[in-house]
Structure formats: C-alpha cells, structure tokens
Amino acid sequence: VAEMGPIAVSSYSETKEREVVKLLNYHYEVFLMNVPPPKIDDNGADTETPVQWIFMRPPNRSDSLPPLIVVPHGGPHSCTSTTYIPEFAFLCARGYAILHVNYRGSTGFGKRALESLPGNVGKLDVDDVVHAVETITSSGWVDVNRVGVYGESHGGFIAAHCVGQYPKIFKVAAMRNPVTNIATMTTATDIPDWCYIEALGCGQYDYRKFRGASADELKSMWDCSPIRYANKVTAPILIALGKKDKRVPPSQGLEFYHSLRSQGTKTKLLMYDEDDHSIDRIKSETDMWISIKNWFDENL
C-alpha cells in the first residue's frame, strides 16, 4: 500500500474568486493498492495480474466511520489514475470515502488481463469490485452498513449489476448513461462491435460488415446484462441520461428505470436534453453532481 499526500486544486494567480478557490481546495488521503484478484477462474480469465484500487479517505475523521462510495470506471478498457478528479474530491470533502477499482480488463496492466474481460462482463468485473468492497469494509476504515456505488457507461453497467446481484452489500446507486441490456443496445448504439465483443468474447465480430445478432447471441447478451437482475434490486437508484447520447442511447437507462419503477423500487431519473454521453455542459454537470451528492446524503 502506497500512501500519497493530500491532492488539491490551487490558484496560480490572484483572482477575485478567492472564496471559490477555497471551496475547491479539498484535502484528502489517497492510498494506492495493488492486490491479487479473486481466485476465481472465470472462463479462462487472468487470475495472476494484480487488481489496482485507489482509496480516498476524507479529512476531519470523527469517531464514526465514513460511508463508502465505490466507483468502477467506464470503458471497460480504460483506467482510473491518481490524478485530481473534481467530482470525487467534492464527494470526499463532504465526508464520503471513495474507492476506485481498476478491475481486470482495465488498460495498463498487460494484454492478458485486458483480454480476459470480453466474454466475462457482468461476472469478472463485478467479482473484482465486490472483492474490493469486502476487503475495504473488513479493514475497519469505512462503515460496512453504508456502501453505495456510482458508475458511468460501463461503470454504470457494473453498478447496476452490483445492486442486482448483491443487494445486501450495496444500499444505494447512482449511474450516468449506464449500459443495462446489451441485447437491446446492438442496433441502437454507434459502436455495435462493443456489444458483440464484450458480451461474447474477442474475435466474435467481423469489422468488415454488420450483421444482426443470432437468437443464441442475444440470449448471451441478455444473460450478462444488469436487466437480468432488475427484479432483485431494492436499493434506491438515480439514473442520469444525456438525451443526445449515441454511444449508450438513453433507451438503456430508461429500460432500467421503468423496470425498477414498475416493481416499486425507489428511483429517480435526470434527463439532460442537450447533452450526450459525457453530460459535461456546465449547467448539466453541476446539476447532476449536486443531485448525486444529495441522493447519497438522502439514502446512505
């Protein structure tokens, strides 16, 4: 475990917005952890390459343990680094411990680990996240009874799986443009190859031509999707969608939202008409993160 010093925003010159800079000057402890993955051989998955976690601990710790928000990244073939990320610094400064998980399939850990995820999504990535949560909660650093999850895109896919597969662990979730049903996404996304490769495995898509999925392929896509476990979700769910998203179309989040509402699960929908996949217009992003913070405050 490597401990790093406080990370903060600072001003480079005198400005009139001194009070704003003070509000952004968040201090927290960052721990970088490399741990062995769960010893579960999922369809030939890599069980040797360490899985990396980044744990952010809030300042001004009192006698009570902080709640935990787990953040699996999107992609899935990307990674979270120790760089300053304003939205998570904001949540950490408000008393939440943050756990970023670079699960197997993340970039930067070798070809074997990266290629072990396609064909195993919804299992391998979820196993790594749950393993991280169980380890951190048993460390005595966070409140084991107050664990939430936040994810964007494929991170939202993992978050939706977490609340469906492990409802006793995850008490609340927030998602931005989540993938919830790969089968229904194949003909609606601008990257149909993603659906085939991530659900079925490497080499399962011919880039030279598009074809519709077979009945067996659609079943495999549905089987590894969060919508399969929607009827087991009991945690309050917030879903933020960009109406102009072509990568993960809003129909994905709406399908999950209506499924949860129909069964009486507490659910809130945020729809941003002028935003796409990133929801990064200033007013939209600000509204979304304040809403996410309030959602965790209310339900965690």
Side-chain angles (χ1 to χ4, degrees), residues 82-297:
T82 54
T83 189
Y84 178 82
I85 306 176
E87 49 267 42
F88 299 119
F90 165 63
L91 292 175
C92 195
R94 293 303 184 268
Y96 292 98
I98 306 294
L99 180 63
H100 297 281
V101 182
N102 285 323
Y103 47 84
R104 282 170 287 180
S106 301
T107 54
F109 302 93
K111 181 179 180 181
R112 181 182 177 188
L114 187 142
E115 291 187 347
S116 68
L117 183 58
N120 288 313
V121 292
K123 184 67 173 70
L124 194 69
D125 40 10
V126 176
D127 285 344
D128 286 354
V129 170
V130 172
H131 176 57
V133 171
E134 290 176 339
T135 304
I136 290 295
T137 53
S138 65
S139 70
W141 285 0
V142 299
D143 188 339
V144 65
N145 295 312
R146 301 173 68 198
V147 178
V149 59
Y150 168 77
E152 307 171 347
S153 194
H154 187 84
F157 172 90
I158 296 173
H161 264 298
C162 285
V163 292
Q165 292 192 48
Y166 297 92
K168 292 183 179 180
I169 296 178
F170 298 94
K171 303 303 193 299
V172 60
M175 310 164 193
R176 188 208 75 194
N177 290 318
V179 175
T180 64
N181 187 344
I182 299 178
T184 58
M185 185 170 141
T186 53
T187 56
T189 177
D190 63 350
I191 50 167
D193 54 303
W194 185 97
C195 300
Y196 289 85
I197 293 171
E198 300 303 338
L200 307 177
C202 295
Q204 299 301 309
Y205 185 80
D206 186 348
Y207 287 91
R208 295 169 299 180
K209 59 183 179 180
F210 174 80
R211 63 173 178 80
S214 68
D216 288 342
E217 288 172 335
L218 289 172
K219 182 181 184 304
S220 296
M221 292 175 183
W222 187 89
D223 284 344
C224 68
S225 295
I227 198 69
R228 175 183 177 184
Y229 303 97
N231 64 336
K232 297 182 180 180
V233 176
T234 57
I237 308 297
L238 177 122
I239 301 173
L241 302 176
K243 194 173 182 180
K244 293 185 176 180
D245 190 356
K246 292 181 173 60
R247 183 62 34 99
V248 180
S251 57
Q252 286 289 297
L254 287 171
E255 183 175 346
F256 204 59
Y257 169 72
H258 287 300
S259 296
L260 298 179
R261 271 196 83 195
S262 68
Q263 66 191 30
T265 303
K266 182 178 180 181
T267 314
K268 183 174 182 178
L269 177 68
L270 303 176
M271 181 70 80
Y272 298 98
D273 291 346
E274 298 303 318
D275 284 88
D276 52 23
H277 193 55
S278 57
I279 308 185
D280 58 359
R281 295 168 70 248
I282 293 175
K283 289 184 178 180
S284 304
E285 187 173 23
T286 302
D287 178 80
M288 182 182 73
W289 280 106
I290 290 175
S291 297
I292 288 171
K293 187 264 184 187
N294 290 340
W295 188 254
F296 283 123
D297 288 349

Side-chain angles (χ1 to χ4, degrees), residues 6-10 20-28 59 84-94:
I7 298 176
V9 167
S10 62
V20 173
V21 171
K22 286 182 181 179
L23 289 174
L24 290 175
N25 198 24
Y26 304 139
H27 289 262
Y28 47 84
Y84 178 82
I85 306 176
E87 49 267 42
F88 299 119
F90 165 63
L91 292 175
C92 195
R94 293 303 184 268

